[in-house]
Amino acid sequence: MKTVKIKNKTLTVPIIQGGMGVGISLGNLAGNVAKCGGMGVISTAHPGYREDDFETNHRQANIRALKKEIIKAKEIREGKGIVAINAMVALQDYEELIEAAIEAGVEAIISGAGLPMHLPALVKNHDVLIAPIVSSGKACKLILRSWWHKHQRLPDFIVIEGCQAGGHLGFKKEDLVNHTCQSLDEIFRDVKQVVVGYEDEHDVKIPIFVAGGIYKKQDVDHYLSIGVNGVQVATRFITTQECDASIEYKKAFIEAKKEDIELVSSPVGMPGRAIKNQFTNRVKEGKINISKCYRCLKPCHVKDAPYCISKALIEAVKGNIDDGLIFSGAYGYLNNEMTTVKAVIEELTEEKS
Ligand SMILES: Cc1cc2nc3c(=O)[nH]c(=O)nc-3n(C[C@H](O)[C@H](O)[C@H](O)COP(=O)(O)O)c2cc1C
């Protein structure tokens, strides 16, 4: 299988495990993906939800836990792969979490859910790879232009997230419902066009990874054949033994059917994709009482929010499934058995003899 060189680092398999909050991709999953030669990504969305002081001091709990999870992943990976974080621009504590991750020795930062315009300034001259997540050629162009103009810095790699992904989606709800979103192939073509100009001008290589609905070796082969450098895969890793979520969370995927995957509205005003359950049904019926605000996402206004996304995601990862929001990619129902990280990576990459 193709290796991917990203600046001074190499992935021996062209796979990034997508960051999954809250608590779905922490040090165990990320470390084990890196151990197989891929990029393991720890989510910075409330990594401290299990800390004793989380309810009274979530900011410190998250910073402390993030550092612990990075160190754990780096111990597990036995010197292989790359250990990264996913930092959503929309997070209230975005800057502090990035600073903490750098202190703990993170090797790459992938940032989306907004345009990460200030990321180069936040990482300064630290030896850490940086990548934006984009869902269009236009967003890519804006970021590259701004990064170069203001910081004389280009991304070390780029992740394109298409409309089949899980979690928050960078597309309009109407386009998702009417299936009128640009395809990943089309977005890749647009992004590549932007990137090639910078690569030629600055004599650099900026590998591009695509994400959203990648499940089989044929999907990986297809994207590599059109010139993509690698893939980012998230949902498929949920039903691995190494995934950091509770067993109840994993079972929800194994039991889900095609018709159970649905679009949901998030309190941050973006559409998302999740597994239909008692919680999503209650959300459709009306506002769910919010007893506490965790100040997690900048665009969320507690007064108008239909529910608290932090609480919903924390309940889910802990296994309180009926009270939780279970984010899923469009093909989450294909996760029909428990497996391992090694088996998933082999299935996605191995050449058939
Ligand atoms: C449970 C879950 C949680 C996610 N959380 C985040 C997140 O915190 N930040 C983010 O940028 N993307 C998040 N994503 C998106 C993934 O990182 C990934 O890009 C996407 O799901 C890829 O599609 P796939 O799940 O079909 O492989 C999440 C996805 C899932 C399924």
Side-chain angles (χ1 to χ4, degrees):
M1 230 317 139
K2 230 175 99 177
T3 61
V4 190
K5 200 163 156 32
I6 311 177
K7 216 170 163 180
N8 55 354
K9 298 193 168 58
T10 303
L11 295 177
T12 54
V13 291
I15 293 184
I16 300 176
Q17 157 258 308
M20 293 179 277
V22 168
I24 315 298
S25 69
L26 293 175
N28 202 46
L29 179 58
N32 279 288
V33 170
K35 190 173 162 186
C36 292
M39 188 183 300
V41 183
I42 296 165
S43 160
T44 57
H46 289 321
Y49 80 95
R50 290 178 296 202
E51 296 286 299
D52 288 342
D53 57 347
F54 178 73
E55 288 299 329
T56 50
N57 190 1
H58 66 266
R59 185 188 237 196
Q60 283 313 317
N62 285 336
I63 288 174
R64 188 184 325 117
L66 180 62
K67 289 182 175 176
K68 282 200 271 192
E69 297 296 334
I70 293 168
I71 292 165
K72 179 175 175 180
K74 289 182 83 174
E75 277 166 11
I76 294 172
R77 61 89 173 260
E78 296 175 357
K80 300 182 195 129
I82 297 177
V83 171
I85 56 160
N86 172 295
M88 291 189 288
V89 180
L91 285 177
Q92 285 283 6
D93 299 331
Y94 178 68
E95 287 83 4
E96 291 86 342
L97 288 161
I98 287 181
E99 203 176 301
I102 293 173
E103 263 176 52
V106 81
E107 295 158 327
I109 299 171
I110 302 177
S111 189
L115 301 179
M117 293 308 197
H118 306 300
L119 187 56
L122 296 174
V123 301
K124 301 185 195 91
N125 296 323
H126 290 284
D127 179 23
V128 59
L129 306 172
I130 54 173
I133 301 175
V134 297
S135 291
S136 68
K138 192 172 153 202
C140 179
K141 195 170 175 179
L142 272 172
I143 294 168
L144 266 62
R145 192 195 284 155
S146 161
W147 282 19
W148 186 254
H149 183 67
K150 294 210 176 99
H151 310 285
Q152 290 74 57
R153 175 101 199 230
L154 292 171
D156 299 304
F157 60 103
I158 291 172
V159 177
I160 303 175
E161 203 177 73
C163 63
Q164 312 280 29
H168 288 115
L169 304 167
F171 296 87
K172 291 197 186 108
K173 183 141 187 212
E174 307 84 84
D175 286 330
L176 290 161
V177 171
N178 299 325
H179 305 287
T180 48
C181 299
Q182 261 194 309
S183 70
L184 255 185
D185 291 43
E186 288 165 339
I187 308 172
F188 169 67
R189 189 195 54 212
D190 293 352
V191 167
K192 183 75 189 170
Q193 209 172 22
V194 175
V195 169
V196 161
Y198 284 90
E199 288 184 320
D200 290 348
E201 197 181 329
H202 302 283
D203 195 23
V204 289
K205 287 275 170 243
I206 306 175
I208 301 174
F209 293 76
V210 293
I214 291 155
Y215 254 75
K216 299 185 295 290
K217 172 80 169 34
Q218 289 95 302
D219 302 327
V220 180
D221 288 345
H222 165 73
Y223 289 114
L224 296 182
S225 79
I226 63 167
V228 165
N229 300 89
V231 295
Q232 172 169 294
V233 176
T235 306
R236 267 220 77 176
F237 284 110
I238 293 175
T239 45
T240 59
Q241 279 157 16
E242 297 89 342
C243 169
D244 294 273
S246 63
I247 187 68
E248 292 81 5
Y249 190 91
K250 298 175 189 182
K251 275 191 188 150
F253 282 82
I254 294 175
E255 286 161 14
K257 297 184 196 63
K258 189 172 180 181
E259 57 274 21
D260 295 331
I261 311 293
E262 63 176 5
L263 293 171
V264 290
S265 301
S266 153
V268 299
M270 286 168 96
R273 183 174 281 115
I275 296 182
K276 189 190 286 180
N277 65 356
Q278 287 189 25
F279 179 80
T280 58
N281 287 340
R282 285 207 301 278
V283 169
K284 273 177 248 158
E285 282 159 18
K287 190 169 158 36
I288 292 180
N289 189 34
I290 300 175
S291 54
K292 175 181 179 167
C293 174
Y294 290 86
R295 267 189 74 257
C296 61
L297 295 167
K298 289 173 194 158
C300 183
H301 302 292
V302 66
K303 206 161 54 64
D304 318 309
Y307 60 93
C308 168
I309 191 149
S310 287
K311 178 151 171 50
L313 294 174
I314 292 170
E315 292 302 329
V317 68
K318 283 181 176 168
N320 301 329
I321 296 305
D322 294 345
D323 293 321
L325 178 63
I326 308 167
F327 273 150
S328 167
Y331 302 119
Y333 62 92
L334 295 178
N335 285 20
N336 44 28
E337 59 180 15
M338 281 300 290
T339 180
T340 63
V341 164
K342 187 164 176 281
V344 170
I345 292 186
E346 280 177 1
E347 222 182 292
L348 291 171
T349 58
E350 268 195 351
E351 308 296 330
K352 289 222 169 64
S353 52

